Amino acid sequence: PAPPQAANWPAVDGTVLLANFRFGTGETLPQLKLHYLTLGAPHRNAAGHVDNAVLLLHGTGGNAHSLMNPLFSNVLFPPGAPLDIAKYFIILPDDIGHGQSSKPSDGLHAHFPAYDYDDMVRSQRMMLDEMKIDHLRLILGTSMGCMESFVWGETYPGFADALAPFACLPVQIAGRNRMMRYMAIQAIKQDPAWLDGEYKTEPIQGLRTANELLLIMGSSPLQMQKQAPTRDAAEKYVDNYLARGLAATDANDLIFYTNASRNYDPSPNLEKITTPVLWINSADDYINPPELGIAEKQVKRMPNARFILIPISDATRGHGTHTVAAVWKD
């Protein structure tokens, strides 16, 4: 039988409330809410420890539902598939600043703590503690989740049996990657309607420019040419994308999650990652372009890491190849 569509996966909602959560900046929240979805059931070994938990981490601006996308879930979750939910207990968190977890648009606006990836990973670890899970079979992360996978590997060595970071590099966000993020943030902050984060209606000009940058960042020329082979189709594509993006995005949330990578840099401690690592990037990824040569150099520093660069094909989707599981499932 055909695997169920994403909407039909029997996901269960969960929430943990972490009291007096302290951020790396020294700021605190009296209560940090973390929302997550789970699929499958925890299995306990003879000693009573959960031994089949898999943590799936979404990208910037995404949420727990991002990897429920049929392109991902319908390939990986069915019976006999790599992440068969009859076999594994799948946990999909909404990261800090995303989905139904605590975020600036809840009310603190620009006064929300300036969270980073270390805060996200620490909060995930505390969430797992609350769930009585002290070990993971696998951490698989896409984009921002890819970067968090490297942070996990260094911060909690041995907590997971394996890491699968897809679509990122384990170095400081610099060069064009930071330039694009900085331009998106500044576009919003320099819109007079932003009002230092206390806007009553979204600062639409700044938000539009930010979304335009995100469109380019995540795009792949081959697919765009295919989907928009005429001038009219190309312009319509942009208009539709922006209409969707502007309706679904809060300006402060975007500033905070785009800036959360500002101090990310696992490169000094890669040697600490001794767990098996399957690291996959795509050659048409505009955010992590292969010509930088960074991955080939850094992978050698992790004793059990394997780096695979997927060549550009009709099946790849630029940065978004991370969600198209059929491309890398094997």
Side-chain angles (χ1 to χ4, degrees):
Q5 287 307 299
N8 298 337
W9 291 110
V12 178
D13 278 270
T15 302
V16 298
L17 300 172
L18 304 174
N20 298 313
F21 184 84
R22 188 179 173 85
F23 293 80
T25 56
E27 297 166 283
T28 56
L29 271 185
Q31 194 177 65
L32 178 71
K33 177 188 175 189
L34 286 184
H35 170 262
Y36 60 90
L37 298 174
T38 61
L39 287 162
H43 175 272
R44 295 184 186 278
N45 62 18
H49 297 271
V50 174
D51 60 6
N52 69 334
V54 171
L55 188 63
L56 298 183
L57 303 174
H58 64 77
T60 305
N63 58 47
H65 293 273
S66 301
L67 297 179
M68 300 284 274
N69 182 325
L71 289 172
F72 187 92
S73 62
N74 285 1
V75 175
L76 298 179
F77 297 169
L83 297 177
D84 181 345
I85 61 171
K87 195 171 160 190
Y88 295 106
F89 182 50
I90 311 280
I91 305 161
L92 302 115
D94 279 340
D95 267 320
I96 298 173
H98 294 75
Q100 295 173 50
S101 294
S102 298
K103 56 189 181 294
S105 59
D106 291 342
L108 285 176
H109 306 152
H111 300 290
F112 195 84
Y115 61 84
D116 61 16
Y117 291 174
D118 290 331
D119 295 319
M120 289 182 179
V121 167
R122 196 170 65 257
S123 70
Q124 288 161 8
R125 172 67 201 264
M126 293 165 81
M127 176 192 81
L128 293 171
D129 287 346
E130 294 277 328
M131 297 168 76
K132 304 283 186 277
I133 293 170
D134 59 10
H135 192 77
L136 292 167
R137 177 68 190 86
L138 170 73
I139 299 172
L140 184 158
T142 60
S143 190
M144 176 177 80
C146 174
M147 294 188 269
E148 289 173 60
S149 304
F150 284 114
V151 175
W152 257 103
E154 290 182 1
T155 312
Y156 305 112
F159 193 92
D161 290 333
L163 302 173
F166 294 175
C168 74
L169 295 169
V171 294
Q172 190 182 137
I173 303 283
R176 188 178 67 186
N177 190 345
R178 180 59 195 180
M179 291 176 194
M180 292 186 292
R181 291 167 193 257
Y182 179 68
M183 288 190 288
I185 293 166
Q186 292 301 106
I188 294 171
K189 288 189 169 180
Q190 293 183 10
D191 183 332
W194 182 57
L195 302 175
D196 289 329
E198 295 305 322
Y199 48 86
K200 297 295 169 258
T201 55
E202 293 289 340
I204 213 74
Q205 285 313 117
L207 203 48
R208 182 187 167 90
T209 304
N211 274 289
E212 286 167 347
L213 279 156
L214 296 176
L215 169 60
I216 296 296
M217 286 172 80
S219 68
S220 95
L222 199 61
Q223 296 301 330
M224 290 199 140
Q225 188 66 30
K226 227 167 85 171
Q227 287 173 40
T230 65
R231 190 195 74 197
D232 286 349
E235 292 175 6
K236 194 169 183 227
Y237 183 100
V238 171
D239 290 340
N240 290 341
Y241 175 92
L242 290 175
R244 282 197 315 274
L246 291 171
T249 315
D250 174 80
N252 286 328
D253 288 350
L254 188 150
I255 288 173
F256 275 72
Y257 58 60
T258 306
N259 202 34
S261 60
R262 66 193 177 279
N263 53 2
Y264 162 78
D265 185 10
S267 63
N269 296 303
L270 287 177
E271 282 79 7
K272 286 185 184 171
I273 301 180
T274 56
T275 342
V277 176
L278 174 65
W279 171 15
I280 300 178
N281 281 5
S282 171
D284 51 1
D285 185 342
Y286 191 76
I287 301 174
N288 306 290
E291 64 267 28
L292 298 180
I294 290 169
E296 291 76 4
K297 199 167 129 196
Q298 301 297 336
V299 70
K300 298 186 177 116
R301 298 178 47 208
M302 295 173 279
N304 294 303
R306 183 167 162 229
F307 175 70
I308 294 171
L309 182 68
I310 296 175
I312 299 174
S313 75
D314 195 47
T316 56
R317 294 285 184 278
H319 185 65
T321 304
H322 56 57
T323 305
V324 190
V327 176
W328 45 258
K329 182 183 81 159
D330 292 344

